[in-house]
Amino acid sequence: MKYEHITFRNFLQDNKISPYFLHHSIKEKIKNFEDQLTLFHANTAREESNKDDFNALIKADEEILQAIRTYFIHKVKARATDDKEILITLKKLRWTKGISLSELRAMGLEASLDWNTTILGRLKLVRIREHQHLYYLLPIAESLEPKSRIPEHLLRRSKRIVQPA
């Protein structure tokens, strides 16, 4: 049994965020997680403890991801005062993919996000799922290229084709 799908590492890689810029407490959690992961892979003889260790790794991974997201939310709240500044700060922090509606509201975003694309200044929030509010942040001139930017399992499946009359 191997633990290969590390969600916080995928989040950092998808958004091209270096762990160097994270808070020292988060860096310490990452170091502890890596130590646990090394011990887990080294200790494959005991099967029962591996299941418990595997569950502990999953829990630690989720806690680190949540700590990173919370850290960025607090940084945005400290720096930004209006909706445009929130998006600019998110862009500077490089958190541009996989932002949920609740996280945007926690940052103080007040704009209506009922549409698939919401433009604020030179940036736009593009919703990538129909029934779940998950957003990507893009410059206004860029288009969302589904195959290169969004994982296949996150794409909307419905298409609406309008024929000219």
Side-chain angles (χ1 to χ4, degrees):
M1 181 185 295
K2 282 194 169 190
Y3 190 80
E4 296 174 351
H5 183 71
I6 302 171
T7 56
F8 77 86
R9 197 173 288 160
N10 291 340
F11 172 78
L12 293 174
Q13 287 175 352
D14 287 346
N15 288 295
K16 297 177 181 139
I17 299 171
S18 172
Y20 176 80
F21 296 108
L22 298 176
H23 193 264
H24 64 85
S25 64
I26 298 173
K27 290 179 191 177
E28 188 67 30
K29 287 180 183 181
I30 291 173
K31 183 183 177 307
N32 291 339
F33 176 83
E34 290 172 353
D35 292 343
Q36 281 181 318
L37 188 62
T38 303
L39 287 173
F40 175 75
H41 289 301
N43 187 11
T44 57
R46 297 180 304 184
E47 193 63 36
E48 286 182 14
S49 64
N50 277 349
K51 290 180 183 178
D52 294 337
D53 293 342
F54 188 79
N55 291 334
L57 283 173
I58 291 173
K59 184 178 177 185
D61 189 12
E62 291 171 359
E63 287 175 358
I64 293 170
L65 179 62
Q66 189 59 38
I68 292 170
R69 288 177 176 264
T70 304
Y71 173 68
F72 282 140
I73 289 170
H74 289 299
K75 268 189 118 165
V76 169
K77 284 173 69 174
R79 293 181 182 180
T81 57
D82 66 348
D83 291 348
K84 289 179 187 177
E85 288 180 8
I86 289 172
L87 298 186
I88 291 168
T89 306
L90 280 171
K91 182 77 174 167
K92 286 180 182 176
L93 292 174
R94 293 184 161 190
W95 186 11
T96 59
K97 297 181 181 182
I99 310 165
S100 71
L101 178 63
S102 61
E103 291 166 339
L104 288 168
R105 295 295 182 214
M107 292 175 207
L109 190 77
E110 296 174 354
S112 173
L113 299 175
D114 295 334
W115 305 97
N116 287 342
T117 302
T118 303
I119 299 172
L120 295 169
R122 294 183 178 184
L123 297 170
K124 63 183 175 182
L125 284 170
V126 180
R127 185 170 65 187
I128 60 170
R129 291 186 178 179
E130 287 183 29
H131 302 293
Q132 184 180 5
H133 295 280
L134 190 65
Y135 296 90
Y136 275 32
L137 179 65
L138 299 171
I140 197 167
E142 285 187 30
S143 63
L144 189 65
E145 300 163 1
K147 293 183 180 176
S148 64
R149 292 186 183 251
I150 304 173
E152 183 64 30
H153 67 279
L154 293 179
L155 286 175
R156 289 186 287 194
R157 299 288 182 215
S158 64
K159 292 183 181 177
R160 187 175 201 181
I161 300 173
V162 178
Q163 297 291 335

